[in-house]
Amino acid sequence: MVCSKCEKKLAKLANPDVWREGGRNSTMYGKSGGRAVGENMLLKHKSKREGVNPYGSKCKICKCSVHQNGLYCSECAYKNGFCAMCGKTMVDTSSHLMSTA
């Protein structure tokens, strides 16, 4: 559960372009943004991976690793009714009958 304010901060999933004429990945555009032939993609996108620290973010309640930037894992956020990223209370779960397992 993520509040509407934190929805904008969610990480975007990478989806490659379909190969076709006029696509951003075609080689005919040259240096103006087209795809370079023989380029190492791991080195090209290294700056995007530098901010990721797999040992840095843990859930405040259960201490499991959090997949995106946030304070709580999705299970604990759902059980307690607050935003996984900022911790703001979203839903009153006092009358909900949820299992403790």
Side-chain angles (χ1 to χ4, degrees):
M1 282 169 81
V2 180
C3 65
S4 59
K5 188 177 177 181
C6 294
E7 230 174 274
K8 299 169 190 164
K9 300 177 194 174
L10 288 173
K12 305 289 187 271
L13 294 177
N15 190 10
D17 287 341
V18 179
W19 185 269
R20 62 178 169 236
E21 295 298 322
R24 283 183 281 161
N25 56 358
S26 68
T27 58
M28 61 187 249
Y29 293 112
K31 296 178 182 174
S32 65
R35 187 176 77 83
V37 177
E39 184 177 11
N40 190 337
M41 299 305 273
L42 289 174
L43 294 176
K44 179 181 176 184
H45 299 295
K46 187 176 180 181
S47 63
K48 293 181 182 178
R49 294 182 294 133
E50 286 176 359
V52 178
N53 185 3
Y55 304 107
S57 56
K58 300 271 185 191
C59 176
K60 281 187 169 184
I61 297 172
C62 66
K63 306 295 185 225
C64 70
S65 61
V66 178
H67 300 292
Q68 290 186 338
N69 294 337
L71 303 173
Y72 303 99
C73 66
S74 58
E75 288 182 31
C76 294
Y78 177 75
K79 283 181 186 175
N80 296 314
F82 42 68
C83 175
M85 294 183 85
C86 65
K88 182 175 108 178
T89 303
M90 295 175 56
V91 180
D92 180 27
T93 58
S94 60
S95 61
H96 292 190
L97 298 174
M98 294 188 212
S99 66
T100 57

